[in-house]
């Protein structure tokens, strides 16, 4: 209504929703423990989707979104400078993801197909994988994990950074958030971290 009013749309002189108090929605908070990660890793290794183990490992190492990884191209990866450029992130801007030694080692082992620009393509079509939900859910069932989404791997990445003592500023930059406020929901502190702080 506010935009319609600005544009002079007839009937949009007043917003019927003005003054209505917005509900405060609690964001979903789920991240994997080290033991759950190990179970998941064993389960994805048995997946019929041969790309799933690499996809899960990279999501845990990089903290990127699933769509960013599935559409990632080799031309945007610079292993020498240890960086991956995401041309268009959710914010609408390009961002650079730092690559750990483990991520580089895994990327170097990824199979490549002639004429295929993607990191983890569908081996049959050589195009980005469009649907990995079924193999993901199968792996979660095998691992005995309930209510775990692929996006929770991003939560886990952020939580691991916080639990390792990194600031919310570092977490925010690693996730590609424009402000640290957006990263606060990922800042899950383990009991061990809180006990250490209390001591």
């Amino acid at each position: 209504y506010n935009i319609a009013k600005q544009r002079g749309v007839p009937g949009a002189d007043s917003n019927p929703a003005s003054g209505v108090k917005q509900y405060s929605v609690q964001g979903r908070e789920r991240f994997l423990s080290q033991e759950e990660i190990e179970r998941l890793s064993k389960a994805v290794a048995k997946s019929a989707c041969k790309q799933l183990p690499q996809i899960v490992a990279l999501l845990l190492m990089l903290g990127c979104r699933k769509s960013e990884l599935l559409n990632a191209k080799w031309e945007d990866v610079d292993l020498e400078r240890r960086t991956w450029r995401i041309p268009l992130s959710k914010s609408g801007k390009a961002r650079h993801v730092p690559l750990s030694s483990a991520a580089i080692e895994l990327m170097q082992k990824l199979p490549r197909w002639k004429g295929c620009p993607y990191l983890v393509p569908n081996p049959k079509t050589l195009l980005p994988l469009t649907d990995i939900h079924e193999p993901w859910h199968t792996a979660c069932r095998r691992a005995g994990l309930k209510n775990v989404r692929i996006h929770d791997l991003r939560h886990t990445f952020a939580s691991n950074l916080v639990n390792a003592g990194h600031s919310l500023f570092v977490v925010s930059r690693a996730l590609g958030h424009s402000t640290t406020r957006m990263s606060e929901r990922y800042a899950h502190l383990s009991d061990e971290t809180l006990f250490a702080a209390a001591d």
Side-chain angles (χ1 to χ4, degrees):
Y1 269 90
N2 291 335
I3 292 171
K5 183 178 178 181
Q6 290 171 6
R7 294 184 179 168
V9 175
D13 295 330
S14 65
N15 184 345
S18 64
V20 175
K21 188 177 178 181
Q22 290 186 346
Y23 288 106
S24 178
V25 179
Q26 180 66 36
R28 178 186 153 98
E29 297 181 0
R30 175 70 165 103
F31 62 102
L32 303 178
S33 67
Q34 189 57 42
E35 187 266 337
E36 287 177 319
I37 291 172
E38 288 169 12
R39 279 167 31 209
L40 179 63
S41 296
K42 288 176 184 175
V44 297
K46 298 174 184 174
S47 177
C49 176
K50 298 304 177 191
Q51 301 290 63
L52 192 62
Q54 291 83 7
I55 291 168
V56 168
L58 287 170
L59 289 174
L60 282 167
M61 289 181 204
L62 304 174
C64 59
R65 296 175 181 89
K66 178 190 71 171
S67 60
E68 292 172 337
L69 180 60
L70 296 185
N71 291 294
K73 294 182 178 180
W74 284 110
E75 66 190 49
D76 296 318
V77 175
D78 189 334
L79 296 178
E80 215 171 281
R81 293 184 180 177
R82 297 180 58 175
T83 186
W84 165 34
R85 181 179 180 271
I86 299 175
L88 188 63
S89 65
K90 190 177 177 183
S91 67
K93 301 175 184 176
R95 72 181 183 99
H96 291 81
V97 178
L99 300 176
S100 66
S101 299
I104 290 172
E105 189 178 337
L106 177 55
M107 285 180 172
Q108 287 172 333
K109 292 178 182 176
L110 290 175
R112 295 201 194 195
W113 289 269
K114 189 176 180 180
C116 178
Y118 301 102
L119 262 70
V120 284
N122 181 329
K124 294 177 182 175
T125 64
L126 300 185
L127 295 172
L129 284 162
T130 54
D131 187 12
I132 59 172
H133 292 293
E134 188 51 44
W136 167 258
H137 291 303
T138 300
C140 286
R141 280 195 301 273
R142 279 188 184 142
L145 299 175
K146 295 181 179 178
N147 301 320
V148 178
R149 304 167 306 166
I150 292 177
H151 193 71
D152 293 330
L153 301 179
R154 183 168 159 87
H155 292 236
T156 301
F157 169 82
S159 298
N160 287 341
L161 285 181
V162 172
N163 286 325
H166 296 287
S167 69
L168 279 182
F169 175 75
V170 170
V171 174
S172 179
R173 291 293 302 272
L175 294 174
H177 287 162
S178 55
T179 66
T180 55
R181 184 176 178 85
M182 295 174 71
S183 305
E184 287 174 6
R185 64 189 298 255
Y186 294 100
H188 311 282
L189 290 170
S190 70
D191 288 342
E192 290 80 8
T193 305
L194 291 172
F195 290 146
D199 287 342

